[in-house]
Amino acid sequence: FVFLTKFLSFNLANGIITNSTKSLKGINFFLFNKKKVKLIFNPYLKKPNKKYLKKKKKNHVLAIGRFTKQKNFPFLLNVFKDFHNKFKNYKLILIGSGKEKDNLIQQASNLNLKNKIIILDWKKDLKSYFKNSKFFVLPSLYEGSPNILIDAIDVGIPCISSDCSGSDDILMNGKMGIVYKKNSKIHLLKSMIKMHEKYDYYQKNSIKHMFSSSRFVIKFQANKYLRFLSKFI
């Protein structure tokens, strides 16, 4: 039923806008006329960050998002346990809100990491957490295009993300971090170890390419929407 619905709706549409390369490939699978699809990244940032704030980083791994199954934070906590066994001086900072918060707090306690996994309520201003942390991890099972990853690259923090939709586009196919196979404990653990061991390399790359966040500025991307939609007026 889902397959048939997509096949009919996609092919009957005059035009289709998608926000990631992975989604584009999925949509093209159903289409006879592949020219009707337009890839436009999320119009998300009011303006790109213009300078990198040099600060001494704390040994913090940062993760931000809703405390739901989609965001896959229990998986991240289990992987962090193994990472922490090798690197005792690291903490995991988890920021968000949702019904799974109490379960995550209990899981941290069960892992004997209650003092090493800090779970905080959602913050309106997240920049200080991005700037103080060594690297950012997005463990999501699926996304459309993860805006929180755009926030991360905009301040030049090295990132690790699952291969959910949009992550390759935002991280420029690995230029601004590491994309791992989603829900693979081994792949994420290896990625975190690699990020720690080659941190200077990933930090320099993240700073070098941080201005790529201009791809997600509202003014530029909204104009692309308007130009595309004007074809059908």
Side-chain angles (χ1 to χ4, degrees):
F1 177 77
V2 173
F3 181 93
L4 181 61
T5 300
K6 288 183 177 181
F7 178 81
L8 290 174
S9 60
F10 289 170
N11 281 289
L12 290 174
N14 291 319
I16 301 171
I17 295 173
T18 186
N19 60 6
S20 73
T21 302
K22 197 167 188 176
S23 175
L24 176 66
K25 290 177 181 177
I27 292 170
N28 276 337
F29 174 80
F30 294 92
L31 288 176
F32 293 117
N33 178 14
K34 301 184 185 338
K35 293 182 179 180
K36 68 165 67 178
V37 189
K38 179 70 173 178
L39 171 62
I40 304 177
F41 294 135
N42 280 358
Y44 177 64
L45 297 173
K46 289 184 179 179
K47 58 182 180 180
N49 186 30
K50 292 185 177 180
K51 63 179 181 179
Y52 175 75
L53 180 61
K54 291 183 179 180
K55 291 189 72 174
K56 186 176 181 181
K57 302 294 185 179
K58 298 179 181 179
N59 286 323
H60 288 173
V61 178
L62 180 65
I64 301 171
R66 299 186 314 278
F67 298 146
T68 62
K69 182 178 179 180
Q70 173 195 348
K71 301 303 181 180
N72 211 19
F73 289 134
F75 164 76
L76 175 59
L77 264 62
N78 286 329
V79 176
F80 180 75
K81 169 71 173 178
D82 291 342
F83 180 76
H84 182 265
N85 287 339
K86 294 177 178 289
F87 307 104
K88 302 287 187 183
N89 57 343
Y90 271 86
K91 289 184 178 181
L92 173 63
I93 310 297
L94 192 57
I95 303 174
S97 61
K99 61 183 181 180
E100 296 297 322
K101 180 181 178 181
D102 289 342
N103 292 337
L104 292 169
I105 292 172
Q106 185 60 53
Q107 183 183 355
S109 179
N110 293 342
L111 293 170
N112 294 318
L113 291 174
K114 194 173 182 180
N115 297 322
K116 291 292 186 174
I117 297 177
I118 312 300
I119 301 176
L120 304 174
D121 289 329
W122 182 258
K123 309 293 179 185
K124 188 174 182 180
D125 186 0
L126 296 166
K127 284 192 175 181
S128 62
Y129 293 94
F130 280 120
K131 291 172 180 177
N132 284 323
S133 301
K134 271 207 165 181
F135 59 93
F136 178 80
V137 178
L138 181 81
S140 296
L141 293 171
Y142 59 90
E143 294 280 352
S145 182
N147 288 335
I148 196 67
L149 206 54
I150 299 173
D151 286 320
I153 68 165
D154 188 48
V155 295
I157 183 174
C159 297
I160 299 173
S161 174
S162 68
D163 57 355
C164 59
S165 181
S167 59
D168 273 323
D169 296 315
I170 296 169
L171 297 184
M172 299 174 66
N173 297 310
K175 288 183 179 178
M176 299 191 72
I178 302 171
V179 178
Y180 74 93
K181 186 177 180 180
K182 67 182 176 183
N183 230 22
S184 170
K185 186 175 182 180
I186 293 174
H187 284 185
L188 177 54
L189 180 59
K190 286 183 176 179
S191 298
M192 292 173 72
I193 293 172
K194 186 177 181 181
M195 181 70 74
H196 167 78
E197 292 178 342
K198 297 185 177 181
Y199 185 74
D200 287 345
Y201 166 80
Y202 285 107
Q203 186 182 39
K204 287 177 183 177
N205 258 13
S206 296
I207 297 168
K208 178 181 177 181
H209 295 290
M210 65 182 287
F211 298 112
S212 71
S213 64
S214 61
R215 296 171 291 156
F216 306 99
V217 170
I218 293 171
K219 181 179 178 180
F220 301 146
Q221 298 307 97
N223 284 334
K224 291 180 183 179
Y225 268 85
L226 292 173
R227 286 196 297 270
F228 183 76
L229 294 172
S230 67
K231 299 176 182 179
F232 310 108
I233 297 174

